[in-house]
Amino acid sequence: MRNLTSEGQAKIAEIAQRHGISTDGAMTMLDALVRGGGTMAQFSHPDFGGSGQWMMGGMTMVSDLFNNALKARVDNICIELSNLLANDQGWLWEPAPPQFQSSQPSSSLSGSFGGWNSGSWWPAELGQPNSSGGQNDIRYAYFGHANRLAVDIAGTVTVYDTGDHMISGVSQQQGNGWTVTFTSQYGTVPVSSLRVVGGAGEQSAPAPALQEPAFQERTYQEPAQEPAPAPVPATPPSASGSAALEQDYLSGSTWTFGPAGGEPFGLVTLSPEGGIAGDVHPRARFWSVENGVLSFYDADGRTSVRFSTLAPEGGVPVIRGDDPSAPGQDYVLRSPAAQEVAPPPPASAPGTLPIPVDLSAGDWALEDAAGQTLATLRLKPDQSIAGGRPTEVRWRADGDTLVLLHGSGRPTARFDTFQFRAGRWSLTGSLQSDPGVALTLRQT
């Protein structure tokens, strides 16, 4: 960053004093805004609680997720500094020495989330990203205004729907293939758990004549008087003639799931929004497709099974995979063939629980560690939540622990300590994604 004039230094010092921060903090934020073109900034300074991000008219992220006062301070400072840069008439910066002038364009930041790339490798309709960066042959760009995350791996671009995630960081790991994860208010989440909405994951479908399911032709020709067979997903053939694992093929399909060579756990349905319904097993709570590989995730978002082979066996589709953390432990998804399958019964509300209070009686106040009320909610007997935060719509009891759940079924908070004082119950717990963030549910 160029040197400020004496007038510019005085202005920055005045802004810092007025907002209650150090001059060094104001200079750090000014430098971040310069690198972000005056409309966005990625910063890290103790005056702002550590690292964070800001975008004009968009998001403000700080390390302390619930510190709204700090977010407001960051927003006010960034708006004032952004206006200062926009209205500069030549008095703010000292002239650049001739030896530092160059016709070469400045390089964009890369290797960490928040570098502002000037390229447009992402789909043009997404507009300008909030943040972008890259390392080696992997690049990523986050579009908070559109709830999209674009990832470019060796020239292949995939666009994901980020849903209600507020992304504050992206990282990549090398090893057995590649792994891209991101950080949001729910903690560290694999990119492959997101729904693919464009790019490599939504290549043009084959012509209708090629989509005729070969397995269905050979297996499900039943006499007219027989009951109609259960629907089996169409099998888009690949170039080799075998079926391909793709989002459209699997979305809404039903399979038996279990260990290879053993009794199946039960029937599972791959819901279009990324959840797994039916005979829910701890290893099968969420699903996604990435580069022709179907992944199952457990309740904490960890990859539990990777399926990479789809082939007919006995005239029905069978998908085989293994546990990446336990070599030799194989699992199989098998089409239920032409059997008429009754839908799984709806989950019933818990009966008698080892919890000393009727959770569905009365309202509860959700408080942070400082005692500030975040929301008021009611735990309804059907295990839905009335009121509360928009990210939590259901609840369940795991033994002596109360768990709040996101709409997709992902746990967001757990409460395992119960106290009774002055005629009222209070439950103490923490965020699922960050056990260091304490939360309390208090009877009102």
Side-chain angles (χ1 to χ4, degrees):
M1 187 173 68
R2 292 159 52 190
N3 293 328
L4 294 171
T5 63
S6 57
E7 186 179 359
Q9 294 175 14
K11 182 61 177 178
I12 297 301
E14 183 268 328
I15 292 175
Q17 183 178 15
R18 181 152 36 81
H19 288 281
I21 62 173
S22 65
T23 302
D24 182 65
M27 289 295 297
T28 296
M29 189 64 79
L30 180 66
D31 178 59
L33 282 165
V34 169
R35 290 185 285 111
T39 60
M40 44 192 171
Q42 182 187 15
F43 53 86
S44 179
H45 195 276
D47 287 357
F48 310 117
S51 60
Q53 295 187 46
W54 175 86
M55 178 179 179
M56 175 73 75
M59 65 177 183
T60 299
M61 295 183 183
V62 294
S63 297
D64 187 352
L65 295 178
F66 301 109
N67 194 334
N68 294 324
L70 178 58
K71 289 182 181 179
R73 172 181 290 183
V74 168
D75 190 46
N76 291 334
I77 293 171
C78 286
I79 289 175
E80 185 162 354
L81 291 175
S82 179
N83 290 336
L84 183 67
L85 291 172
N87 298 322
D88 175 32
Q89 300 297 321
W91 57 269
L92 185 61
W93 307 102
E94 292 183 351
Q99 60 268 30
F100 292 108
Q101 295 177 349
S102 172
S103 60
Q104 297 295 326
S106 58
S107 60
S108 58
L109 297 177
S110 63
S112 63
F113 189 75
W116 315 119
N117 289 333
S118 59
S120 55
W121 53 266
W122 50 81
E125 62 269 18
L126 294 177
Q128 184 67 22
N130 296 62
S131 305
S132 62
Q135 189 174 11
N136 299 330
D137 59 351
I138 298 180
R139 298 185 291 183
Y140 30 81
Y142 172 50
F143 305 84
H145 58 281
N147 296 329
R148 294 292 185 264
L149 177 67
V151 179
D152 176 11
I153 302 175
T156 300
V157 178
T158 304
V159 180
Y160 301 89
D161 180 359
T162 60
D164 63 346
H165 288 283
M166 296 179 60
I167 296 180
S168 58
V170 176
S171 62
Q172 62 189 81
Q173 298 177 354
Q174 304 294 337
N176 184 15
W178 57 267
T179 300
V180 176
T181 61
F182 66 87
T183 303
S184 75
Q185 70 270 37
Y186 301 120
T188 301
V189 184
V191 166
S192 56
S193 67
L194 298 179
R195 184 168 63 94
V196 177
V197 294
E202 283 204 345
Q203 296 173 353
S204 58
L210 296 179
Q211 289 184 327
E212 190 66 19
F215 304 141
Q216 208 170 29
E217 288 180 359
R218 294 194 301 267
T219 307
Y220 300 123
Q221 296 298 326
E222 299 289 347
Q225 65 272 20
E226 295 295 328
V232 174
T235 305
S238 65
S240 63
S242 61
L245 292 174
E246 295 188 6
Q247 189 87 14
D248 290 343
Y249 170 77
L250 296 167
S251 183
S253 61
T254 298
W255 308 80
T256 61
F257 169 55
E263 289 296 321
F265 302 133
L267 284 172
V268 296
T269 298
L270 308 184
S271 302
E273 70 276 7
I276 297 179
D279 299 319
V280 177
H281 187 271
R283 303 187 67 84
R285 297 299 301 276
F286 311 100
W287 71 281
S288 71
V289 175
E290 191 76 47
N291 294 336
V293 175
L294 167 65
S295 296
F296 276 12
Y297 305 91
D298 61 19
D300 295 321
R302 294 185 293 261
T303 304
S304 56
V305 185
R306 285 200 178 106
F307 299 92
S308 57
T309 304
L310 169 60
E313 295 182 13
V316 297
V318 175
I319 305 175
R320 293 189 175 274
D322 55 31
D323 182 347
S325 64
Q329 180 61 61
D330 297 331
Y331 292 89
V332 64
L333 292 171
R334 188 183 302 273
S335 169
Q339 302 172 1
E340 191 71 33
V341 180
S348 59
T352 302
L353 299 170
I355 292 179
V357 56
D358 183 1
L359 297 172
S360 61
D363 293 336
W364 298 83
L366 179 64
E367 302 175 352
D368 60 16
Q372 179 180 356
T373 299
L374 304 175
T376 300
L377 54 92
R378 178 181 290 268
L379 305 176
K380 301 176 69 174
D382 63 356
Q383 293 186 282
S384 63
I385 297 178
R389 299 185 293 186
T391 56
E392 294 157 339
V393 299
R394 296 192 63 78
W395 67 277
R396 72 166 186 256
D398 287 346
D400 59 355
T401 300
L402 168 65
V403 183
L404 302 186
L405 305 170
H406 181 260
S408 65
R410 179 177 60 250
T412 60
R414 305 179 72 92
F415 301 86
D416 54 12
T417 302
F418 296 76
Q419 291 184 334
F420 186 76
R421 292 181 181 176
R424 296 183 185 275
W425 285 94
S426 63
L427 286 62
T428 304
S430 62
L431 281 177
Q432 176 76 8
S433 60
D434 186 355
V437 177
L439 297 172
T440 299
L441 275 174
R442 199 179 308 278
Q443 269 186 332
T444 60

